[in-house]
Amino acid sequence: MTPDIAIVSSNEWPELIALFERCNRTDSIELPLYLNTDLAPTMAAARFGDTLVGGIVMYGYFAIEAVIAVDPAWRRRGIGRQLVEQVARWAQARGGSWLALADEAGACVAPFAAALDLRRLNVEVLLRLDPAQVPPLPVLPPNWHVRLAETDDAAIVTAIIADAFGDPVEKVEAFVADCITNPVHRFVIGEIAGIPVAVLRLLRDEQRVMIATFGVRREQQGRGYGRLLLLTTLHRLLTAGYTDIRIEVEEHNTPAYHLYQACGFVPYRRYGQYGRPD
């Protein structure tokens, strides 16, 4: 049997979200379902008639990161394989690439990947803040200042991010322009003697905050400004009542991993990135 797999409009998202939540409960996992990302994800549904049997959440357009779920009552019928192959076809039609994201805690991840000849290419660790482990703020330099970015700070934020990550200025500029006017996103700038040296981005909803796009100008790295910005921001978030605060890091990025743990973050989930290498 071959299900009908089609991209759906946002009014059908609640049914798909419920499917992902059923899979989370059944498998004791937390699939990476982020609805307040830089660009809204694309969702697709797999159906037999009116019955929803599987779903896909896709982040990105040319470089697709896909999260795939099959209703527990409909597993072992080849639906997962067909969902993966559909993602591959969409990526090929766009002239792009694809990866499948999976919570490594899922018992079915390894056998499923092996059956489809998918290789784990990377692991992102999601860390969650333990407020009890957040160290106190150190004595701050008298010329240290942290503030929320305003719309007219777009050029400053762009310059720091482009320099810190070595990304093309034009792409960073477009990214910042999209985010800086979106109320879900807030950039936080760290300044020393009035000179902006570091930035991070907050993605907020009513329940949690995700910290992302965290960088320090290259010539200012190694001076503790990143740690100062992160700790200052964490203390302000906790004072504001946020307790579910998260950050992601590549598993092999040891310096960043150690910094986040030293600031009170503890590993929460490991997300494998699976694909078929060239």
Side-chain angles (χ1 to χ4, degrees):
M1 299 175 66
T2 302
D4 176 38
I5 304 173
I7 293 173
V8 300
S9 60
S10 58
N11 65 331
E12 296 183 65
W13 284 14
E15 186 182 12
L16 279 166
I17 293 170
L19 167 65
F20 275 79
E21 291 175 346
R22 284 199 300 277
C23 293
N24 286 343
R25 290 192 298 270
T26 299
D27 301 328
S28 298
I29 59 175
E30 186 174 308
L31 293 168
L33 186 61
Y34 306 131
L35 303 183
N36 291 321
T37 53
D38 309 321
L39 295 174
T42 300
M43 291 198 185
R47 300 182 187 275
F48 288 119
D50 293 331
T51 303
L52 179 67
V53 298
I56 310 169
V57 178
M58 292 181 288
Y59 305 103
Y61 186 83
F62 292 109
I64 297 173
E65 293 188 339
V67 185
I68 292 167
V70 178
D71 190 289
W74 287 86
R75 292 177 179 174
R76 300 185 182 278
R77 307 187 194 195
I79 296 170
R81 177 185 293 273
Q82 293 175 68
L83 291 172
V84 168
E85 296 304 332
Q86 181 60 64
V87 170
R89 286 192 290 270
W90 280 329
Q92 183 178 27
R94 299 172 182 181
S97 60
W98 65 276
L99 292 170
L101 305 180
D103 186 337
E104 293 291 283
C108 63
V109 171
F112 180 74
L116 273 67
D117 195 27
L118 300 178
R119 185 183 303 176
R120 188 171 66 192
L121 305 176
N122 192 21
V123 174
E124 292 275 349
V125 181
L126 177 65
L127 300 103
R128 189 173 179 180
L129 189 71
D130 178 357
Q133 295 190 41
V134 178
L137 276 175
V139 177
L140 299 176
N143 52 0
W144 173 253
H145 180 59
V146 172
R147 64 182 178 85
L148 289 174
E150 302 296 339
T151 304
D152 57 6
D153 288 312
I156 293 172
V157 173
T158 296
I160 296 174
I161 294 173
D163 182 65
F165 297 103
D167 293 332
V169 172
E170 297 79 10
K171 290 186 177 181
V172 176
E173 189 174 44
F175 163 74
V176 171
D178 285 340
C179 293
I180 205 163
T181 57
N182 186 330
V184 172
H185 304 259
R186 289 303 304 266
F187 289 100
V188 184
I189 298 172
E191 300 176 336
I192 192 75
I195 300 173
V197 297
V199 69
L200 58 77
R201 179 169 55 98
L202 307 176
L203 290 86
R204 305 171 300 168
D205 60 28
E206 292 181 358
Q207 297 180 334
R208 70 183 57 155
V209 175
M210 176 72 78
I211 296 175
T213 323
F214 177 26
V216 180
R217 285 186 181 273
R218 294 188 184 188
E219 65 180 15
Q220 302 289 350
Q221 291 176 7
R223 304 183 184 186
Y225 296 142
R227 187 175 189 272
L228 274 179
L229 176 59
L230 182 58
L231 276 178
T232 304
T233 302
L234 292 177
H235 278 271
R236 291 182 180 182
L237 288 171
L238 291 171
T239 299
Y242 289 102
T243 55
D244 189 348
I245 304 170
R246 306 181 181 197
I247 197 167
E248 283 186 337
V249 63
E250 287 190 7
E251 189 171 52
H252 298 299
N253 187 348
T254 304
Y257 206 128
H258 288 168
L259 169 63
Y260 301 156
Q261 288 186 305
C263 290
F265 286 94
V266 295
Y268 178 62
R269 295 286 178 183
R270 297 173 68 250
Y271 292 119
Q273 298 177 336
Y274 288 84
R276 295 177 180 139
D278 298 333

